[in-house]
Amino acid sequence: MNVLGIDIGGSGIKGAPVDTKTGELCAERHRIETPQPATPRAVVDTVAKIVEHFEWKGAIGVGIPAAVQEGVVRTAANIDKGWIGTDAIEALSKATGIDKIAVLNDADAAGYAEMHFGAGRKKSGVVIIVTLGTGIGTGFFVNGHLVPNTELGHIEIDGMDAETWAADSVRKRKQLSWKKWAKRVDTYLNYLQRYFWPDLFVIGGGVSKKSDKFLPRLTVPTPVVAAELLNEAGIVGAALAYTHQAARSKQTLSLG
Ligand code: BGC
């Protein structure tokens, strides 16, 4: 099944049709700058432009940097606060005319993609995907099953919200050396390690392309690997989320 995967990020909104069996993009991805402020109206209109670009009429899966329950956005750390309480499925459906829509947290989406087609493939136990970008996102998997909306980028370290101290945007803004920033990432991962004892960390986000600059400096005892789908994980995972949702609702129907 082909699903249009869309990744709403702090700087860009990207989309491409995805073959959910193989995880491959069926066309070159299309990117539009994230409107500022990233209000629900402005963002859903941008998503509609991506849908139009591909002349898409089928299902879509959308990843958004927020906790999402049943399509309703619950938090807004790096997007406009107007998102809180917004029914994203309803808003997207109005803007695009499409009614087959799944919406989930962006790091959960990236995690799905890595668990199916990337660094987490065939990994059992507890796997935590950590996306380092504008903020810090986490996708938490137990034997391949997602525990949604973990929001571990917001754990407190020395009284600070971890993402305001260790996100990749902080490295860039403060012009931290790789060594200094790697130390922060290491401290952060050590916290997660002590609380959750994962079997594997997968580091995603744009910076995973430069993993050779910081992975070798980490001392956390848990194995840490770089994500494999790089820029595409959010798109691929959002598309996969739609197929998961569709499979779940079929199951509920047959159970009911
Ligand atoms: C948000 C998360 C998101 C992460 C990465 C955080 O600020 O709270 O929902 O997954 O940024 O975008």
Side-chain angles (χ1 to χ4, degrees):
M1 175 184 197
N2 290 359
V3 175
L4 180 64
I6 295 181
D7 182 17
I8 299 175
S11 57
I13 300 182
K14 298 151 270 178
V18 177
D19 178 339
T20 56
K21 284 245 154 24
T22 61
E24 273 161 24
L25 305 194
C26 315
E28 201 178 315
R29 70 181 196 144
H30 186 59
R31 179 185 190 275
I32 303 179
E33 294 281 300
T34 306
Q36 297 301 338
T39 59
R41 178 81 266 156
V43 170
V44 298
D45 284 349
T46 309
V47 171
K49 282 190 196 141
I50 294 179
V51 170
E52 272 165 36
H53 171 87
F54 290 105
E55 297 176 357
W56 195 257
K57 303 267 181 286
I60 65 177
V62 181
I64 186 162
V68 184
Q69 286 178 311
E70 309 272 330
V72 179
V73 172
R74 300 295 188 193
T75 63
N78 288 309
I79 46 173
D80 188 82
K81 301 287 175 244
W83 273 103
I84 297 175
T86 298
D87 186 329
I89 294 187
E90 196 182 285
L92 285 162
S93 163
K94 267 197 197 137
T96 61
I98 288 175
D99 60 357
K100 291 186 203 136
I101 304 182
V103 180
L104 79 165
N105 171 264
D106 59 352
D108 287 352
Y112 265 144
E114 290 298 329
M115 295 305 289
H116 276 82
F117 303 115
R121 213 172 27 230
K122 300 202 176 112
K123 299 281 186 216
S124 54
V126 174
V127 179
I128 305 182
I129 320 290
V130 177
T131 64
L132 300 168
T134 310
I136 297 183
T138 52
F140 197 110
F141 290 81
V142 183
N143 292 331
H145 294 283
L146 173 70
V147 179
N149 294 317
T150 45
E151 292 292 328
L152 302 177
H154 298 295
I155 61 164
E156 232 178 79
I157 298 180
D158 286 341
M160 265 181 301
D161 184 346
E163 79 168 13
T164 64
W165 183 71
D168 190 43
S169 58
V170 179
R171 176 184 67 80
K172 291 182 182 151
R173 201 173 51 247
K174 303 222 156 162
Q175 297 183 337
L176 299 177
S177 64
W178 286 107
K179 189 174 170 196
K180 273 207 175 125
W181 181 68
K183 211 166 166 206
R184 292 188 181 192
V185 173
D186 199 33
T187 304
Y188 172 68
L189 295 179
N190 269 291
Y191 267 81
L192 295 189
Q193 196 261 338
R194 265 178 267 143
Y195 291 134
F196 301 104
W197 292 92
D199 298 292
L200 179 70
F201 283 120
V202 178
I203 305 293
V207 75
S208 57
K209 272 184 284 196
K210 299 183 186 143
S211 59
D212 56 318
K213 306 262 191 219
F214 63 97
L215 283 198
R217 299 181 195 268
L218 303 178
T219 66
V220 64
T222 314
V224 188
V225 295
E228 287 174 13
L229 281 93
L230 308 173
N231 275 340
E232 288 170 9
I235 295 174
V236 173
L240 276 180
Y242 178 81
T243 60
H244 279 230
Q245 181 179 292
R248 257 204 319 273
S249 52
K250 239 191 225 153
Q251 217 172 36
T252 320
L253 282 180
S254 63
L255 286 174

